[in-house]
Amino acid sequence: MADVIFFDLDGTLVDHRTAVFDTIGQIVRAAPHATAPPEDLAALWWSLEARHMGEYLAGACSFAEHHRRRVRSFLPALGEAVPESRALLDAWITERYLAVFEDSWQCYPDVQPCLETLKQLPRGPRLAVLTNGDPGQQRAKLSRFGLLDYFEAVLTPTELGAAKPAAYAAACRVMGTDPARAVNVGDMLSSDVNAAALAGLTGVWLDRGIDFVTGGPSPAADASVLRVERLTDLPGRLSSLRA
């Protein structure tokens, strides 16, 4: 059996995409001068998140600055002036985005049953979260849904000094395990499964039936990919994993 199982967070444990689209939809519907329908502006925000989050993960800006860059790009489409001060940009994020976003978080219903089953296994694997998100926000999500105590560690670029995929090797070092004895579970076929395999881990694809990035159907996967449709299927698959 595997020594450590790493879980991705957004799209795997918590429904991040739905929370983002719900949040921006609410913001747009309350904006009298929005330049496009809520669904179009939610898609714009989603694309800005991907762009500026990539800049943060590449070390080009802080987490707070990546939020400011999003807002600077988004406000004209919302029909609002862009504040010049960082304080006002930060206030927009805190008061108009994060307050609604945090209320929109939802934990997938298969998460806690899976973790509880793994916890009860004799000589079961140690569990950790491996996420590219902000450590404070990610721990807040886990705490909200009573999940923190299941995990030995919550590992982010802040702790590891690198984002996925480089973070896989660093995460194994922190957990004191060889990559060959580690499993990574996530909803992103490329970054959670294929990249983990290249780093020497066993990748397990949680196929929730939707492409996290596009919102369309799941991507096609090679027949060799280890795939589950529900996290509750994971414990029964552990014996077949090479780790």
Side-chain angles (χ1 to χ4, degrees), residues 115-140:
L115 298 177
E116 193 62 34
T117 299
L118 292 174
K119 179 181 176 182
Q120 300 302 323
L121 290 175
R123 299 182 301 280
R126 295 179 292 144
L127 308 181
V129 170
L130 179 56
T131 169
N132 281 343
D134 172 71
Q137 187 177 81
Q138 301 301 63
R139 286 184 172 85

Side-chain angles (χ1 to χ4, degrees), residues 196-233:
L198 287 174
L201 293 76
T202 296
V204 176
W205 181 30
L206 174 62
D207 179 8
R208 292 199 178 278
I210 182 174
D211 186 300
F212 180 80
V213 175
T214 68
S218 298
D222 186 272
S224 64
V225 170
L226 291 166
R227 172 181 169 274
V228 294
E229 293 184 352
R230 297 168 297 275
L231 279 178
T232 44
D233 296 335

Side-chain angles (χ1 to χ4, degrees), residues 126-231:
R126 295 179 292 144
L127 308 181
V129 170
L130 179 56
T131 169
N132 281 343
D134 172 71
Q137 187 177 81
Q138 301 301 63
R139 286 184 172 85
K141 292 175 186 175
L142 295 168
S143 179
R144 166 83 62 84
F145 301 111
L147 302 178
L148 265 176
D149 289 344
Y150 288 102
F151 299 105
E152 186 173 321
V154 179
L155 304 175
T156 75
T158 299
E159 291 85 8
L160 299 175
K164 293 185 281 188
Y168 288 118
C172 288
R173 287 194 296 271
V174 168
M175 296 298 290
T177 192
D178 188 280
R181 292 189 52 77
V183 172
N184 189 72
V185 181
D187 65 298
M188 298 283 283
L189 183 59
S190 176
S191 59
D192 292 324
V193 181
N194 297 338
L198 287 174
L201 293 76
T202 296
V204 176
W205 181 30
L206 174 62
D207 179 8
R208 292 199 178 278
I210 182 174
D211 186 300
F212 180 80
V213 175
T214 68
S218 298
D222 186 272
S224 64
V225 170
L226 291 166
R227 172 181 169 274
V228 294
E229 293 184 352
R230 297 168 297 275
L231 279 178

Side-chain angles (χ1 to χ4, degrees), residues 7-67:
F7 286 85
D8 174 54
L9 201 160
D10 292 319
T12 298
L13 306 180
V14 173
D15 188 351
H16 176 78
R17 182 183 174 90
T18 297
V20 168
F21 275 74
D22 285 352
T23 299
I24 297 303
Q26 291 184 53
I27 290 171
V28 173
R29 286 190 289 272
H33 305 297
T35 63
E39 58 272 19
D40 292 348
L41 291 188
L44 171 63
W45 179 269
W46 186 252
S47 68
L48 292 171
E49 175 176 321
R51 179 197 309 170
H52 297 304
M53 187 68 172
E55 293 167 351
Y56 159 66
L57 295 174
C61 65
S62 67
F63 191 77
E65 178 58 27
H66 112 277
H67 268 150

Side-chain angles (χ1 to χ4, degrees), residues 85-103:
S85 77
R86 293 194 299 178
L88 289 175
L89 291 168
D90 292 345
W92 194 98
I93 283 289
T94 299
E95 297 166 12
R96 294 183 61 185
Y97 179 72
L98 290 179
V100 181
F101 178 56
E102 292 173 7
D103 284 342

